[in-house]
Amino acid sequence: MSKIIVPSQEGGLLGRRGFLGHCLRGLGVVGLSGLTGLLVRGSEAGSTVWQIDPERCIGCGNCAKNCVLKPSAVKCVHEYKMCGYCELCFGYLADVRPGDTPGAGNERCPTGAISRSFVEQPYYQYTIDEQKCYGCGQCVKGCKAFGNNSLILQVRHDRCVNCNECAIARQCPAQAFVRVPAGRPYLLRTQNE
């Protein structure tokens, strides 16, 4: 039987047991380093969640197309404190309307997820039906272009599966997808007032 003999750092010779012991210690250090890295990454992912920065969002529609969930975990949120309750709301109505009427055929939302109810002349209240909304951003685009940007898109965390590599974030042309603390998962424009 042959014996493996390797020179040690002290200049002596190592036997098979000493050589295997060094190898196992080396593997242990590498494994421990990898485990520590995974725990740190998992901890970071667990303490933050994805959210849309309403100041950057351009309502491009990528949220509806690229989310791993169908329909998307991104929904329109109405910030009532900012809303002007306008009769002519371009989040609700298309900016170019045949007959220039507020009829059902002239709504901007392709699924009819936004409804409005009369408050008093000339004010209307707008309500989002989240079951119908799939995050296309058409209302957000209209409200941002012609209104005060009170309609925004937000990732709903009761639906989001919190992908570590969010498919929407990779496709967002405005880089509006950001990580926020899990304790404050929504980026409402009115929360800073």
Side-chain angles (χ1 to χ4, degrees), residues 49-61:
V49 293
W50 290 106
Q51 193 48 268
I52 301 170
D53 182 343
E55 302 298 334
R56 294 183 187 173
C57 177
I58 58 174
C60 65

Side-chain angles (χ1 to χ4, degrees), residues 83-161:
C83 183
Y85 296 90
C86 306
E87 180 178 4
L88 193 56
C89 170
F90 287 105
Y92 176 71
L93 296 168
D95 44 319
V96 178
R97 304 180 304 280
D100 200 27
T101 66
N106 291 324
E107 293 176 9
R108 184 179 290 271
C109 180
T111 62
I114 303 177
S115 61
R116 74 178 190 169
S117 55
F118 178 74
V119 177
E120 65 180 8
Q121 196 59 30
Y123 301 110
Y124 285 83
Q125 180 171 333
Y126 298 89
T127 307
I128 312 297
D129 182 347
E130 286 194 1
Q131 297 297 318
K132 294 180 179 176
C133 178
Y134 64 96
C136 71
Q138 290 296 309
C139 58
V140 171
K141 206 174 200 173
C143 185
K144 194 168 197 165
F146 303 107
N148 60 5
N149 203 14
S150 63
L151 294 172
I152 62 172
L153 291 176
Q154 291 285 276
V155 176
R156 292 301 309 251
H157 291 288
D158 54 343
R159 292 188 43 83
C160 178
V161 294

